[in-house]
Amino acid sequence: MKKVLFLAIGCWLSVVSCSDKTARQEENVKAPMRVKTEVVSTAMNASGQTYVGILEECEATAVSFTGMGVVKRILVSDGQTVARGQLLAEMDDTQALNLLSGAEAQMTQANDALERYKMLHDNGALPEVQWVEIQSKVAQAKSQLEVAKKNLADCRLVAPVSGIVGKRLVGAGETAMPSQAVVSILDISTVKVKVAIPEAEISGIGANTSSIIKVEAVNGSFEGGRIEKGVQADALTHTYDIRIQVANRERKLLPGMVASVQFVAMAQQQAQLPSVPVTAVQKKADGSLFVWTVGNDSTAHRTTVTTGETIGNRIVVTTGINEGSRVITEGYQKLSENTKVVF
C-alpha cells in the first residue's frame, strides 16, 4: 500500500513539475523583447551630401619687369589692395637715364643737320641722295629716342589690373630678370570654390546647379553661382574638379579658406528618400540586405531593402520601407520573425 502511495505522489510531483516548466516556457515565449525603434522620416535626410572645397581667386596676374635690372624699391605689401595703374615697384634707372640722354643728344644733332641741309636742298644745291640720307638719320634718331624713353618707363612697374597683392616674389636689392614675377595680383571680386566630386555623382551636377557655400572662417553662408566642370578625372581618386563661382563684394572670402558645399538639387532628391542608421541594416546569408521593422501587432519582421548613399552615420534606403515605417535600431540581435517587441 505504501509503495502505491509513494508512486502516486511521485507521478503527481512529476506532472506538477512538467506543468510549471511548460508554463514558464510559454511565459518566456510570450514575453515581448524590449527594443529601440525609429519612425522613418525623409526629413532626417533633408540636409543632403556635404562636400569640402577650397577657395581660389577668380584670376591671378603675375606682374614682372620687361628688362633686367636691380630692384630699387617695392612699394606694396602682401594683402594690399591696388588699383589699375598704381606704381608697384621701381628698378634702378641709372643706365636708362644715360641711354635717354644720349638718344636726346643724337636727336638734337639730327634735327640741326636737317635744318641746315634743308636750305641747300631748297636752293637745289644738295643732291637728292644726300637729302634722303639726312632724313633717314633723323628717323633713326627719333626711333632710338622712343626706345630710350620706353626703357626708362619700364623701370617703373605698374599694376595692369585692380585687385589685392597675393605675394611679393622679389625684394629690394635683388636682380630682376625679364618676365620674372615680382608680385602677383589676385582678383577676388569673385572667388571660386574648388570641389572634388566622385565620378558616380558628377553627372548630377550641371553648370547652373544651385549650391550653398558655407565658410566658417568668416561665419557666413553664400549662394553659389555658375559651375565650371573639369573633364579629366584624377587617376587615383577618380574624382572630377569643379569650380563654383561666388560673389565676393565685401572681399571677405580669401584664397585658401575651407568651405563646405551643398548642392540644393541633390539635397532635394535625397530628401525624398527615407534613411536609417547604418547599424540598423543587416545582411542575410545570400548577401541581400534587410532591416527589422515593427508591424501593427507589435511583432518584428525582416524587411528586405536596397540602399543608396551613406550620409554621415545614416544610409539612404531606396526600396523596402516608406516614410512612417517603424525600424528597430537597437536590441535586434536576439530577434526572430514574429517576435513580440516593446519600445
Side-chain angles (χ1 to χ4, degrees):
M1 184 67 180
K2 291 182 178 179
K3 291 183 178 180
V4 174
L5 180 61
F6 287 148
L7 181 61
I9 293 173
C11 292
W12 177 78
L13 291 174
S14 178
V15 170
V16 171
S17 176
C18 291
S19 298
D20 290 343
K21 184 176 181 181
T22 303
R24 286 196 302 269
Q25 288 177 344
E26 290 178 354
E27 184 179 355
N28 289 336
V29 170
K30 294 180 181 179
M33 298 285 293
R34 180 165 296 279
V35 294
K36 287 187 178 181
T37 65
E38 175 185 290
V39 177
V40 175
S41 172
T42 56
M44 296 179 180
N45 197 35
S47 60
Q49 175 67 35
T50 299
Y51 302 84
V52 176
I54 299 295
L55 268 60
E56 296 180 343
E57 67 278 0
C58 179
E59 187 174 355
T61 303
V63 187
S64 59
F65 289 106
T66 58
M68 183 179 71
V70 177
V71 177
K72 184 164 61 176
R73 58 176 180 162
I74 303 291
L75 302 175
V76 293
S77 56
D78 293 353
Q80 179 179 337
T81 301
V82 296
R84 181 178 180 180
Q86 180 176 336
L87 182 63
L88 304 176
E90 287 184 325
M91 185 186 292
D92 186 359
D93 57 1
T94 302
Q95 184 177 1
L97 286 172
N98 292 335
L99 292 175
L100 178 61
S101 297
E104 288 175 341
Q106 289 183 358
M107 187 74 247
T108 301
Q109 183 179 5
N111 285 332
D112 181 67
L114 180 65
E115 292 180 1
R116 288 185 289 106
Y117 280 103
K118 186 176 183 303
M119 296 176 58
L120 296 176
H121 178 266
D122 293 343
N123 293 329
L126 184 68
E128 190 67 25
V129 174
Q130 292 185 3
W131 175 243
V132 171
E133 183 180 351
I134 293 298
Q135 288 180 319
S136 298
K137 289 182 178 180
V138 172
Q140 291 176 0
K142 184 177 181 180
S143 177
Q144 291 177 358
L145 179 60
E146 294 299 324
V147 171
K149 289 181 178 179
K150 178 67 166 54
N151 288 337
L152 180 61
D154 288 344
C155 292
R156 293 166 50 87
L157 187 64
V158 297
V161 294
S162 299
I164 64 170
V165 177
K167 190 175 183 179
R168 298 194 313 175
L169 303 172
V170 176
E174 296 181 321
T175 300
M177 304 300 293
S179 301
Q180 177 188 4
V182 176
V183 297
S184 61
I185 299 179
L186 310 180
D187 179 6
I188 61 169
S189 57
T190 299
V191 295
K192 297 179 180 180
V193 184
K194 179 182 176 182
V195 186
I197 303 296
E199 60 181 7
E201 303 169 17
I202 191 67
S203 61
I205 299 174
N208 298 314
T209 299
S210 300
S211 59
I212 301 298
I213 314 297
K214 295 182 179 180
V215 183
E216 291 187 2
V218 297
N219 193 26
S221 180
F222 307 85
E223 182 179 354
R226 187 171 180 82
I227 297 176
E228 303 171 3
K229 293 175 61 175
V231 297
Q232 187 171 0
D234 185 279
L236 296 177
T237 62
H238 295 281
T239 58
Y240 289 83
D241 286 340
I242 68 169
R243 287 173 171 81
I244 308 170
Q245 295 183 3
V246 181
N248 189 26
R249 299 178 185 87
E250 298 181 5
R251 306 298 196 274
K252 289 183 178 180
L253 303 177
L254 300 176
M257 288 183 175
V258 177
S260 62
V261 180
Q262 186 180 70
F263 296 100
V264 176
M266 296 177 68
Q268 291 175 345
Q269 181 181 9
Q270 292 170 354
Q272 297 172 1
L273 297 172
S275 69
V276 297
V278 174
T279 54
V281 180
Q282 307 296 309
K283 182 179 289 188
K284 296 180 182 179
D286 61 1
S288 61
L289 303 178
F290 72 93
V291 295
W292 286 101
T293 58
V294 180
N296 294 331
D297 56 354
S298 297
T299 58
H301 303 281
R302 289 186 182 88
T303 302
T304 302
V305 296
T306 56
T307 58
E309 183 179 9
T310 300
I311 306 172
N313 62 351
R314 303 184 69 82
I315 187 168
V316 174
V317 178
T318 55
T319 61
I321 59 174
N322 299 314
E323 186 171 8
S325 299
R326 184 173 291 277
V327 174
I328 299 175
T329 58
E330 293 184 27
Y332 48 75
Q333 291 81 358
K334 296 182 179 181
L335 293 179
S336 58
E337 189 68 20
N338 294 319
T339 300
K340 284 283 186 177
V341 295
V342 291
F343 45 88

